Amino acid sequence: MASVESILQFIVDRPGATANEIADELDMAANDVQSRLAQYIDAGKVKKDKKRIEGGREMLVYFPGQSLVNEVDGVKRIVTLAKRPRPPVADSERATPSEFTFGFFSDGSLSIGKGNKDIRLTRAETSQLLEFLDCINIEKIAAG
């Protein structure tokens, strides 16, 4: 069974995950997730919210509190594991390394650069961007 530390790390790495997603990834039963997180929820280190899914059902989703993010090793894995294959990008569509750069930092910020322009997003802005990108149907866009 997964340790509480691995569950907490997963929530920091993938905010908004459901108990089923956590259980699937950590090879444990979904009903164990809530019980193992109870003291952290009571302490405010983990926040839970309800998310409406298809069919009108609500599921609990978990988010890290700032104190939990500070306690965890300080390295937040922003990139999530892909569940679907990505369409190949033609070489002519790829940017050369000098044209386009990006980087994730341990404080949760993101830097994006193209040419002589550079944007640095805060942790909150990075989270908003990733939530937005996660909602996009990449296959539909890439096929078009």
Side-chain angles (χ1 to χ4, degrees):
M1 182 178 287
S3 68
V4 173
E5 290 80 15
S6 62
I7 295 170
L8 296 173
Q9 181 69 53
F10 188 88
I11 291 170
V12 169
D13 292 343
R14 302 235 334 247
T18 65
N20 287 337
E21 292 170 335
I22 295 168
D24 287 346
E25 190 72 28
L26 300 178
D27 196 29
M28 61 186 294
N31 56 0
D32 289 338
V33 173
Q34 174 71 25
S35 63
R36 299 188 78 194
L37 290 176
Q39 72 183 52
Y40 297 94
I41 292 169
D42 293 342
K45 293 183 179 190
V46 174
K47 299 172 186 175
K48 64 180 180 177
D49 198 5
K50 292 181 180 177
K51 175 181 173 183
R52 190 168 302 278
I53 59 171
E54 291 180 26
R57 234 178 72 203
E58 289 185 343
M59 293 194 73
L60 289 176
V61 290
Y62 299 94
F63 296 92
Q66 188 60 47
S67 61
L68 178 61
V69 173
N70 294 341
E71 283 179 28
V72 177
D73 62 5
V75 178
K76 184 175 181 182
R77 190 177 54 194
I78 299 293
V79 180
T80 58
L81 301 174
K83 299 285 185 187
R84 55 194 178 265
R86 299 184 187 238
V89 176
D91 288 338
S92 62
E93 294 177 0
R94 292 186 189 273
T96 62
S98 61
E99 291 178 45
F100 177 71
T101 59
F102 62 92
F104 293 102
F105 299 92
S106 62
D107 66 354
S109 63
L110 166 68
S111 175
I112 303 171
K114 184 170 183 181
N116 62 353
K117 296 181 182 179
D118 189 60
I119 297 173
R120 178 99 183 219
L121 302 177
T122 65
R123 174 187 292 273
E125 293 166 335
T126 300
S127 291
Q128 286 178 316
L129 175 64
L130 291 173
E131 285 177 29
F132 170 76
L133 292 174
D134 199 34
C135 295
I136 297 173
N137 186 338
I138 298 298
E139 288 85 15
K140 187 173 183 181
I141 293 171

